[in-house]
């Protein structure tokens, strides 16, 4: 009976599918009279491409103007569509005239209207694309199009576009004229930053950038009413064939207010309530008048310190932006608006009025998930956090996070014993939007700065194995002196592991895996660290550099106290509150470089390394501080913690082998070529290499120590390719890694020692780019 039902179901599905496919003609049955269904474009034909960067930018802009997604587009492509009729368009045609409730519901929820040739409007797109060619200096460029009717249905058509670029014009001379004495002096002093250079390809984009540059200079020197549109250009293409002589000048007939420099006058701050209630009271602080609703919820000094201009200063756009950003970084306002109002019609003084509305003080988040693991563990997890903003009236944020999870083993027969485990924890943190200690750093930076103190407690119970209590806390200071550099200082961090209970089964495992026991044994880890980050992504450069270096030290201050008490700095068996403490030093660095070849392709590279060394009171670096490689963001041909240290490789039947595959030294390098396939779908081809090693030899892990002998054979190597789907808000990534060389003995000779192609594959699904 079951076989008959299954057979009938399959036949029914096949019949429905054939009926749908046979209804392809119905995708045009409801088109308005005289309309044609747009089915995409052919590959855009580009002639006379000179291969310059300017040509690549122009072609990208032209392509964007000409492309339009048809019904049934694959990943937003304007060329590629699914080989079957667009189902949502089929629903549109089937139910557009439906009077039934179900039909109307299907139409409203799932139907998509047809994309028509008339709505694509190729004539308008061709005109816009031609103007774009002219904007990039291709004054003789032309764009045309033709329709390609469908062979089977003349009510469907594709569009073929042809782009004739012609030769590009270059800038010959640049002349600045017509500015007043003070304005002309400003322009002359900053000519080295001009966006217009002799010999560069002419581009309207560069003209707009020069307009913006000059306007910014003037507005930062007191010319409050000057805007970019007050700069005009004249271009002469007759003086020299193929070249443009450019003249830059202010617009004629500008108002006297535009030509005048302005000074800063009075200051008024209007603070509205949580629901935008109007102010009901007022007070004066220094020369600042504050109007507020209910009670004043922010300290006046906090506001005053974040307003960067003072009475009598010359107006500066840069200072206005600093004030706007400083108020926003407080995190207590829903919005802030700064207005500059002339004090009188004949003077040159601007009074400032700042309008702001408080954001709600409480913020809560709740997350819940269910995890299923390959070892038959299943269970729910949840996290709840609540934050109180502006708790002390200075933008402070007090956060409390509760998290927990519970797991049980579903296949009890296979394991022989049910393992019900749980984990819960609490984290309390207080964050200030500024550096409050030490005093030398207690100034208000122009870029984000913060001070954070936090404490936490975690309870972990693994039934049939162990019960572990972890607690700790610390302080962290972050500040950015400018847009490129960031510093993070952790002067104090203390973690404590308390192994409350173990079982005989766990003891037998740790006897064979000492690293596991060392990671969980009772110990204090008192540490301090410093991290420096360089990031030039804010600069308009084709090459983006990101570099981060971190230094961590643990146990040295306590050892100094012991040394003053007569116990040598390098001696062992020192403790804190009856428990040993870890003593180590760690250095890690990572350098990323991304070069944008064009708007649709780039080359990304990463080099990273680190070393951690235990000494004095410890012989092993804490497990949480050790390095590992492999996984979705590392060497993608190998799973996480499946390589190293060195040439060591544990038995394949050891289910806890991954625990030992960490090290004290790490080296890794990656290179990835990224390109657009079509629409929002992107691709990548990559090469990954690296490994981890031990500083000291370990008899339990032969070949794990770092050595230069046959160093290249100790490096794991993998290649592969991947797909990325860009959803704007996030990137979905699927990578397939292909192993080329494993650093351990695989039983196969030669550099390519992967036992089989299938065993050398690694698949990873992740969110975001790997680096």
């Amino acid at each position: 009976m079951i076989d008959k039902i299954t057979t009938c179901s399959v036949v029914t599905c096949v019949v429905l599918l054939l009926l749908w496919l046979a209804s392809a003609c119905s995708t045009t049955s409801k088109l308005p009279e005289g309309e044609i269904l747009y089915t995409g474009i052919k590959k855009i034909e580009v002639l006379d491409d000179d291969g310059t960067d300017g040509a690549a930018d122009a072609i990208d802009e032209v392509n964007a103007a000409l492309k339009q997604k048809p019904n049934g587009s694959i990943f937003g492509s304007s060329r590629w569509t699914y080989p079957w009729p667009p189902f949502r368009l089929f629903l549109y045609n089937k139910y557009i005239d439906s009077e039934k409730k179900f039909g109307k519901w299907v139409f409203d929820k799932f139907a998509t209207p047809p994309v028509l040739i008339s709505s694509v409007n190729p004539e308008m797109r061709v005109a816009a694309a031609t103007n774009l060619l002219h904007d990039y200096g291709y004054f003789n460029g032309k764009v045309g199009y033709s329709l390609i009717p469908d062979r089977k249905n003349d009510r469907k058509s594709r569009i073929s576009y042809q782009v004739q670029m012609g030769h590009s014009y270059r800038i010959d001379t640049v002349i600045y004229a017509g500015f007043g004495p003070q304005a002309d002096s400003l322009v002359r002093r900053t000519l080295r930053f001009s966006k217009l250079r002799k010999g560069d390809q002419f581009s309207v984009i560069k003209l707009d950038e020069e307009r913006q540059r000059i306007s910014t200079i003037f507005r930062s020197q007191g010319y409050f009413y000057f805007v970019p549109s007050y700069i005009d250009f004249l271009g002469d293409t007759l003086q020299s064939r193929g070249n443009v002589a450019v003249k830059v000048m202010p617009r004629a007939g500008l108002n006297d207010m535009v030509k005048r420099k302005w000074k800063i006058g009075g200051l008024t701050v209007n603070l509205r309530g949580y629901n935008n209630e109007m102010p009901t009271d007022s007070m004066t602080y220094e020369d600042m008048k504050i109007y507020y609703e209910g009670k004043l919820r922010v300290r006046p000094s906090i506001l005053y310190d974040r307003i960067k201009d003072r009475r009598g200063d010359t107006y500066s756009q840069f200072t206005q932006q600093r004030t706007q950003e400083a108020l926003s970084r407080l995190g207590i306002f829903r919005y802030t608006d700064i207005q500059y109002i002339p004090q009188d019609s004949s003077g040159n003084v601007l009074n400032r009025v700042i309008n702001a509305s408080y954001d709600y003080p409480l913020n809560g988040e709740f997350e819940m998930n269910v995890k299923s693991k390959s070892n038959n563990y299943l269970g729910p997890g949840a996290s709840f956090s609540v934050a109180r903003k502006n708790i002390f009236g200075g933008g402070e944020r007090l956060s409390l996070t509760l998290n927990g999870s519970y797991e049980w083993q579903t296949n009890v027969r296979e394991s022989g014993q049910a393992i019900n485990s749980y984990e819960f924890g609490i984290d309390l943190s207080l964050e200030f939007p500024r550096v409050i200690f030490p005093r030398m750093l207690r100034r208000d930076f122009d870029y984000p700065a913060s001070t954070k103190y936090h404490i936490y407690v975690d309870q972990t119970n693994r039934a049939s194995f162990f019960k572990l209590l972890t607690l700790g806390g610390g302080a962290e200071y972050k500040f950015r002196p400018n847009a490129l550099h960031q510093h993070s200082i952790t002067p104090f961090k203390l973690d404590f592991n308390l192994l409350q209970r173990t079982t005989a089964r766990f003891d037998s495992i740790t006897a064979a895996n000492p690293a596991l026991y060392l990671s969980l044994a009772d110990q204090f880890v008192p540490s301090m660290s410093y991290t420096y980050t360089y990031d030039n992504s804010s600069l308009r450069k084709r090459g983006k550099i990101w570099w981060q270096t971190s230094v961590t030290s643990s146990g040295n201050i306590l050892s100094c106290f012991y040394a003053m008490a007569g116990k040598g700095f390098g001696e062992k068996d020192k403790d804190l509150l009856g428990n040993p403490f870890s003593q180590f030093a760690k250095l890690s660095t990572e350098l990323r470089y991304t070069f944008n070849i064009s708007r649709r392709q780039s080359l990304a590279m990463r080099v990273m390394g680190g070393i951690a060394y235990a000494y004095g009171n410890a012989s092993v670096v804490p497990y949480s501080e050790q390095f590992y490689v492999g996984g979705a963001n590392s060497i993608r041909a190998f799973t996480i913690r499946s390589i190293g240290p060195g040439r060591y490789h544990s038995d394949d039947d050891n289910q806890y082998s991954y625990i030992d595959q960490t090290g004290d030294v790490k080296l890794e390098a990656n290179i990835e070529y990224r390109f657009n396939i079509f629409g929002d779908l992107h691709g990548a081809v990559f090469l990954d290499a690296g490994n981890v090693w031990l500083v000291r030899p370990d008899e339990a892990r032969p070949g794990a120590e770092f050595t230069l002998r046959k160093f290249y054979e100790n490096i794991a190597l993998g290649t592969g390719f991947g797909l990325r789907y860009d959803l704007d808000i996030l990137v979905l990534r699927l990578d397939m890694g292909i192993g080329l060389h494993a650093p351990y003995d695989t039983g196969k000779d030669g550099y390519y020692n992967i036992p089989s192609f299938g065993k050398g594959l690694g698949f990873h699904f992740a969110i975001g780019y790997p680096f």
Side-chain angles (χ1 to χ4, degrees), residues 132-179:
L132 284 170
L133 287 179
H134 297 172
D135 289 346
Y136 278 90
Y138 295 91
F139 296 141
N140 300 317
K142 298 179 181 179
V143 181
Y145 81 98
S146 58
L147 297 182
I148 306 175
D150 187 87
R151 295 178 181 178
K152 299 180 180 179
N153 188 343
D154 59 4
R155 301 201 69 187
K156 296 181 180 180
S157 182
R158 298 173 71 85
I159 302 177
S160 175
Y161 291 105
Q162 304 84 36
V163 179
Q164 182 80 39
M165 298 191 70
H167 69 275
S168 62
Y169 278 69
R170 299 275 167 177
I171 296 177
D172 183 26
T173 58
V174 182
I175 300 174
Y176 295 83
F179 295 94

Side-chain angles (χ1 to χ4, degrees), residues 638-671:
F638 301 88
T639 57
I640 191 169
R641 290 190 177 92
S642 63
I643 308 170
R647 299 187 305 275
Y648 169 76
H649 187 65
S650 62
D651 298 334
D652 292 335
D653 58 353
N654 184 357
Q655 60 178 319
Y656 307 103
S657 62
Y658 69 93
I659 295 171
D660 283 331
Q661 298 193 248
T662 59
D664 308 319
V665 180
K666 176 180 180 177
L667 290 175
E668 183 179 336
N670 317 84
I671 184 170

